[in-house]
Amino acid sequence: MTREEKSAIIEDLTAQLTEGNIFYLADISGLNAQDTSDLRRACFKENVQLAVVKNTLLAKAMEKSDKDFGELPTTLKGSTSLMLSETGNAPAKVIKEFRKKSDKPLLKGAYVEEAVYVGDDQLDALVSIKSKEEVIADIIGLLQSPAKNVVSALQSGGSKLSGILKTLSEKE
């Protein structure tokens, strides 16, 4: 690989790390061709980009980026795959689902909305992260709840009142 090719790859990686707020570093070494293909398909279905990257090039891209990646550069040892996503928990769900069939991929670390997660033991925490859409839906549900209670109370009160009036009018 020539110097120009390396610098082009570093520029591309830097742009991806700067533009996106979510990426995972995973170790998929040891997977055979069929399992790797299955993992790529699972990532594609969940709108996750999976790419195997050279550790030195990714480390240089992290240095060039203006973001603070904490301890993530220290995890760049051995085989590293970069998983890019728009949803914070999508790569974690793909990894967890894929692990039902295999012991790989191993999570090296993740960068999710300026939070750094290092180590495979963080996978369950990452799966439980809510996406932006899920948080918005929860907030809307909480905001609608009191209004729904008031409307239902008014409707039930109205039917009781009409029942009482009907009973009184029938008595006379």
Side-chain angles (χ1 to χ4, degrees):
M1 188 180 296
T2 65
R3 233 173 234 209
E4 291 80 26
E5 292 173 333
K6 287 181 182 179
S7 63
I9 291 172
I10 291 171
E11 291 298 322
D12 184 42
L13 284 172
T14 303
Q16 288 178 340
L17 296 178
T18 304
E19 291 169 9
N21 286 328
I22 299 160
F23 70 87
Y24 284 55
L25 302 175
D27 179 6
I28 64 169
S29 64
L31 291 179
N32 61 29
Q34 181 63 44
D35 289 340
T36 304
S37 180
D38 291 343
L39 178 61
R40 287 185 184 278
R41 262 191 222 96
C43 287
F44 182 77
K45 284 179 186 174
E46 296 299 321
N47 214 9
V48 176
Q49 295 177 7
L50 176 68
V52 178
V53 294
K54 286 186 153 275
N55 292 332
T56 53
L57 299 180
L58 184 57
K60 287 180 182 178
M62 285 181 173
E63 286 173 19
K64 283 182 102 175
S65 176
D66 57 347
K67 295 182 180 178
D68 178 25
F69 297 113
E71 297 177 26
L72 284 181
T74 62
T75 65
L76 298 176
K77 294 180 178 88
S79 175
T80 302
S81 296
L82 181 66
M83 300 174 88
L84 298 165
S85 175
E86 295 293 321
T87 309
N89 60 1
K93 287 181 178 179
V94 169
I95 291 171
K96 190 158 182 118
E97 184 65 31
F98 198 79
R99 280 219 199 140
K100 292 179 180 176
K101 301 182 270 186
S102 173
D103 60 339
K104 296 274 182 164
L106 294 175
L107 178 68
K108 289 182 169 189
Y111 180 82
V112 180
E113 303 289 340
E114 299 180 7
V116 176
Y117 300 86
V118 176
D120 194 54
D121 57 331
Q122 300 290 322
L123 187 63
D124 290 329
L126 288 164
V127 168
S128 66
I129 290 176
K130 291 188 177 189
S131 69
K132 184 178 180 180
E133 291 77 20
E134 291 171 330
V135 171
I136 290 171
D138 286 350
I139 291 171
I140 290 172
L142 289 171
L143 291 174
Q144 286 180 341
S145 180
K148 286 181 181 177
N149 290 343
V150 169
V151 169
S152 65
L154 289 174
Q155 288 174 340
S156 68
S159 62
K160 286 180 186 176
L161 185 60
S162 66
I164 293 170
L165 289 174
K166 185 177 180 184
T167 306
L168 289 174
S169 67
E170 288 174 359
K171 280 188 175 181
E172 293 177 2

